[in-house]
Amino acid sequence: MGFGIFRASNFRKTYCYLKKNGWKNAYYAVLERVLDRRGSKYRYEAPGKDALERQREGEEPYQFSILVPAYETDERYLREMIDSVLEQSYGNWELILADASKTRKVQKTAESYQDKRMKYIRLGENKGIAGNTNAALAEAAGDYVGLLDHDDVLAPDALFEMAQAVLKGRKKGKDVWMLYSDEDKSDGDMTEFYEPHRKPGLNLDLLFSNNYICHFLVMKKELMQSLGFRSDYDGAQDYDLILRAVGKLVYEDQRGRGTVVHIPKVLYHWRCHEASTAENPESKRYAYEAGKRALEDFMESRGWSGEVSHTLHLGFYHIRYARHIFAQRKEAGVTGGKLVDRFGRVTGGIYNARGKCPYLGLNRNFSGYMHRAGLSQEAYAVDLRCMQVRKELWGLFEEVFGIPYREKQIKGHNQFPYGEDCPYGWERKGDVPEKGCKEAAKATEEALRLRCLEFGRRVREAGYTVIWMPEWERGSNEGKSRCNGSDT
């Protein structure tokens, strides 16, 4: 992968990005890609034969139905996809091929296999990817249903890991309704693997920014069949399905976030070739428009008022809520933005569970790993100096920080509670260290960080979420204070 940055598809993507977003944004996008070498060290390591044999000896209490809508699939790609299912270490599955091809080549390939776990369906007409997948879904007999593209490949332990996750959930008294794994990309020959997508657990606001769940996706059959795939969102039918599933599990049925499980392991290889979205996003621009409509539909179904727009990157979205996010979403308790220094580097604003800023030191014009540094997302905590708090939590704010909550009016927006007159945000008179003492300033920063973490923890305990919105920006204590307009 040392020369992966020079692959032809990257030049094509850069050209399309330049046309869409202009020279400045293209410059930073290219610079970031050149400086980022993390992907060049990635190597997919398949489970060893001994490990797979041990997996085959385990129990197989759940049946998985794998749905594959096919259309004029290249025979080599089709065989590699089928073989990846046949080689699963977990054997309790069925593979359902719904073929909408005009020719008989897919049928001929499918019928060359003798495994009784394979089901081939010849469709009378091509109803699009959603309609064709629905035809396969109607035939599913398994407990759980997984989605596999006709030219992609499953890792040999994919179904085993899914089954294990369901079993672990059951042992803890949790009923697992939806599962997803990490994934990577591969070249057309399946000899080179790159761009691993390491995903977080269920993060609703990140999901409202991008379908990061993507592959490998598995749901309980009754859930998927109750929702189905909608042809109006062809190209983003999976995103539409995921949004509605999350809406049902988290917002409507109150089954909770614990019903959605992330498996932090690459179980899916997304093949890149000329016609694939992975290799050439411009080839399916309609899919990203469909994704935007799916997100708008989800918002309407929840009664949220706002505007969805595309970001600089295809397939990534930004929601500008009408009035304020607190008025639209009852679960939103705290929002925060990012802090940058005089050199335009991120110094804070968002904290993870370990108390670290995941984007520390990143150029403010860079989008970061999987573009997450530029996307709204749930956070463990956000920084007091770039924070807004729902009125119901003002009492908790005062309890944690020891000061009353107040907002500073900036450019017509209720913005951050503390301005330049309070450089560290929460200190009361007598607590501020002597100016120029770096050690004391560092100690004050640490104390502030710990209180922000405590506040974030208690906000979630109270049943609210903490949301980071990177379009908010404020200068840190290293440089000029800067507040751009709020989109909440």
Side-chain angles (χ1 to χ4, degrees):
M1 185 55 194
F3 296 98
I5 192 171
F6 298 113
R7 65 175 68 247
S9 63
N10 286 336
F11 287 107
R12 182 166 54 248
K13 291 176 184 176
T14 300
Y15 175 71
C16 294
Y17 187 95
L18 172 64
K19 287 204 309 180
K20 176 176 177 283
N21 301 313
W23 283 102
K24 179 182 177 181
N25 291 320
Y27 166 77
Y28 281 109
V30 172
L31 179 62
E32 181 175 12
R33 192 170 183 88
V34 170
L35 294 176
D36 186 2
R37 297 295 185 182
R38 283 173 298 185
S40 63
K41 297 180 180 179
Y42 172 71
R43 288 189 63 180
Y44 169 71
E45 297 289 344
K49 291 184 179 180
D50 291 343
L52 292 174
E53 285 302 321
R54 288 193 297 271
Q55 292 174 11
R56 290 188 177 96
E57 295 171 359
E59 58 180 320
E60 298 179 343
Y62 311 108
Q63 184 184 35
F64 291 88
S65 297
I66 309 300
L67 311 185
V68 180
Y71 183 81
E72 305 294 358
T73 314
D74 180 280
E75 181 180 352
R76 180 167 64 92
Y77 296 168
L78 183 63
R79 288 191 180 278
E80 288 176 353
M81 179 277 294
I82 294 174
D83 290 344
S84 76
V85 179
L86 293 173
E87 293 166 2
Q88 290 295 302
S89 60
Y90 185 96
N92 191 2
W93 53 262
E94 63 174 1
L95 174 62
I96 305 176
L97 276 169
D99 180 20
S101 304
K102 296 179 180 179
T103 68
R104 296 280 177 176
K105 67 176 185 178
V106 171
Q107 180 176 0
K108 183 178 179 181
T109 301
E111 291 176 346
S112 69
Y113 290 87
Q114 302 301 315
D115 197 303
K116 294 182 179 179
R117 294 171 296 180
M118 288 181 57
K119 293 182 180 178
Y120 173 82
I121 305 172
R122 177 76 180 181
L123 301 179
E125 61 177 316
N126 182 8
K127 296 183 178 180
I129 190 168
N132 298 344
T133 308
N134 279 332
L137 179 59
E139 298 295 323
D143 303 289
Y144 286 85
V145 178
L147 304 178
L148 176 59
D149 287 353
H150 64 163
D151 50 0
D152 292 340
V153 167
L154 289 181
D157 56 341
L159 297 182
F160 172 83
E161 292 291 347
M162 291 288 169
Q164 287 297 300
V166 175
L167 285 170
K168 289 178 183 178
R170 289 286 175 86
K171 289 178 181 179
K172 295 179 181 179
K174 294 182 178 180
D175 196 7
V176 179
W177 284 76
M178 179 171 136
L179 308 94
Y180 63 98
S181 74
D182 293 346
E183 63 190 280
D184 64 18
K185 294 177 182 176
S186 69
D187 61 1
D189 296 329
M190 284 288 171
T191 56
E192 182 181 0
F193 300 91
Y194 55 98
E195 293 185 17
H197 189 174
R198 307 294 186 183
K199 305 170 186 178
L202 183 60
N203 186 312
L204 293 180
D205 282 82
L206 184 60
L207 182 62
F208 302 154
S209 302
N210 168 250
N211 179 19
Y212 76 91
I213 288 177
C214 205
H215 308 301
F216 177 43
L217 174 66
V218 169
M219 285 185 191
K220 265 193 175 184
K221 180 182 66 175
E222 60 189 273
L223 175 61
M224 191 178 290
Q225 288 186 337
S226 70
L227 297 172
F229 296 87
R230 302 196 292 183
S231 296
D232 287 346
Y233 304 97
D234 262 352
Q237 70 288 331
D238 293 0
Y239 188 31
D240 174 58
L241 174 73
I242 291 168
L243 288 171
R244 288 182 292 127
V246 167
K248 186 175 181 61
L249 295 173
V250 177
Y251 288 100
E252 296 173 19
D253 294 350
Q254 301 299 313
R255 290 191 174 101
R257 293 168 179 254
T259 60
V260 181
V261 174
H262 165 236
I263 300 173
K265 189 173 184 179
V266 172
L267 301 179
Y268 192 103
H269 304 301
W270 191 0
R271 189 197 300 267
C272 297
H273 53 84
E274 287 296 322
S276 70
T277 309
E279 182 76 353
N280 180 16
E282 290 287 336
S283 68
K284 291 188 178 179
R285 180 177 284 271
Y286 75 91
Y288 304 114
E289 292 296 335
K292 178 176 178 289
R293 295 197 309 274
L295 185 55
E296 290 169 339
D297 178 80
F298 175 83
M299 291 177 61
E300 183 178 355
S301 71
R302 303 263 69 78
W304 301 348
S305 179
E307 179 183 347
V308 178
S309 60
H310 296 283
T311 68
L312 297 176
H313 305 278
L314 288 172
F316 296 81
Y317 309 101
H318 172 69
I319 300 175
R320 185 183 181 93
Y321 293 92
R323 292 181 293 157
H324 198 288
I325 190 173
F326 295 157
Q328 304 297 327
R329 295 173 55 185
K330 295 180 179 180
E331 83 277 14
V334 176
T335 59
K338 66 183 174 187
L339 300 174
V340 297
D341 65 15
R342 69 185 67 181
F343 305 106
R345 299 171 302 197
V346 176
T347 62
I350 178 175
Y351 298 111
N352 59 25
R354 299 186 299 278
K356 306 294 183 181
C357 173
Y359 312 117
L360 186 65
L362 192 70
N363 185 297
R364 61 187 290 266
N365 294 296
F366 288 0
S367 63
Y369 179 66
M370 295 297 171
H371 306 308
R372 288 181 199 158
L375 301 176
S376 294
Q377 58 202 266
E378 291 182 41
Y380 187 88
V382 291
D383 197 284
L384 172 68
R385 291 162 291 188
C386 206
M387 175 192 293
Q388 283 188 291
V389 181
R390 175 183 286 276
K391 189 172 184 179
E392 290 87 339
L393 296 171
W394 287 4
L396 179 60
F397 176 95
E398 183 170 354
E399 182 180 335
V400 172
F401 291 106
I403 52 177
Y405 179 80
R406 63 185 174 86
E407 292 184 337
K408 184 175 182 181
Q409 191 77 16
I410 298 176
K411 295 181 180 179
H413 295 280
N414 284 326
Q415 290 257 349
F416 314 114
Y418 297 95
E420 295 176 39
D421 56 323
C422 187
Y424 292 102
W426 63 271
E427 309 93 325
R428 289 166 293 185
K429 188 174 182 180
D431 293 336
V432 181
E434 180 182 355
K435 290 184 178 181
C437 180
K438 293 183 179 180
E439 291 76 13
K442 185 176 181 180
T444 303
E445 282 283 342
E446 176 64 9
L448 172 60
R449 182 180 68 90
L450 292 176
R451 293 208 186 187
C452 290
L453 292 172
E454 174 66 8
F455 183 56
R457 182 185 68 81
R458 294 184 63 178
V459 165
R460 287 192 308 282
E461 282 185 350
Y464 295 93
T465 59
V466 179
I467 304 170
W468 188 61
M469 297 179 164
E471 64 273 10
W472 291 11
E473 186 176 293
R474 179 177 180 176
S476 66
N477 56 337
E478 298 183 48
K480 184 178 180 181
S481 180
R482 173 171 55 245
C483 287
N484 297 333
S486 166
D487 279 356
T488 60

